Amino acid sequence: MKRFTDRVALLTGAGRGIGAATALRLAAEGAAVVVSDIDAAPAREVVAAVEAAGGQGLAVACDVTRRDSVESLFAEAAERFGRVDVLVACAGVIRDNLVHRMTDDDWNTVLATHLTGTFLCAQAAQRLMVERRYGRMVFL
């Protein structure tokens, strides 16, 4: 038996990079994965790789800075798999790393994605997890 057999993991920012690698690893360990990214195309590619390896996946476009988008993501996950056991909040953006060059809009985008996005996803995940009395959250 694999470590995540019969578990559902939802990952944000999982269309590429660390999020995609984590989704593939969790799927290899038996989890059904919900792969979300602001852009649906790379999320679909990750799910295609999961399914090609015999796993289960669902790709969902999600803007983690918007409550309605996050709520829709978790609703789709719950509808497809019945629950969410693991949240991996990996969505992030990078703007110019020299602070004196960052605009207010750049700064607000980074904060909204990293902080507000994580909060909104944790809140949505916790609603489902408390109901089942089980859940794990990982914040990257």
Side-chain angles (χ1 to χ4, degrees), residues 78-129:
E79 182 178 319
R80 170 77 181 272
F81 295 112
R83 66 188 190 282
V84 173
D85 300 303
V86 178
L87 165 65
V88 180
C90 196
V93 296
I94 298 172
R95 296 297 184 253
D96 190 306
N97 64 359
L98 295 176
V99 173
H100 74 277
R101 291 185 187 168
M102 287 185 81
T103 65
D104 290 349
D105 286 341
D106 289 340
W107 179 248
N108 290 329
T109 297
V110 170
L111 288 178
T113 304
H114 292 254
L115 298 179
T116 302
T118 298
F119 166 74
L120 293 174
C121 289
Q123 192 176 54
Q126 190 178 48
R127 281 189 197 105
L128 297 174
M129 293 174 179

Side-chain angles (χ1 to χ4, degrees), residues 14-52:
R16 55 186 69 82
I18 293 169
T22 304
L24 293 170
R25 178 59 188 252
L26 287 168
E29 289 287 341
V33 292
V34 179
V35 178
S36 72
D37 201 277
I38 197 162
D39 183 4
R44 285 193 298 267
E45 290 176 16
V46 173
V47 168
V50 165
E51 291 174 343

Side-chain angles (χ1 to χ4, degrees), residues 36-85:
S36 72
D37 201 277
I38 197 162
D39 183 4
R44 285 193 298 267
E45 290 176 16
V46 173
V47 168
V50 165
E51 291 174 343
Q56 294 181 38
L58 171 66
V60 180
C62 178
D63 178 350
V64 297
T65 69
R66 292 185 26 233
R67 181 177 297 279
D68 62 328
S69 188
V70 170
E71 304 240 343
S72 178
L73 165 65
F74 279 83
E76 284 189 57
E79 182 178 319
R80 170 77 181 272
F81 295 112
R83 66 188 190 282
V84 173
D85 300 303

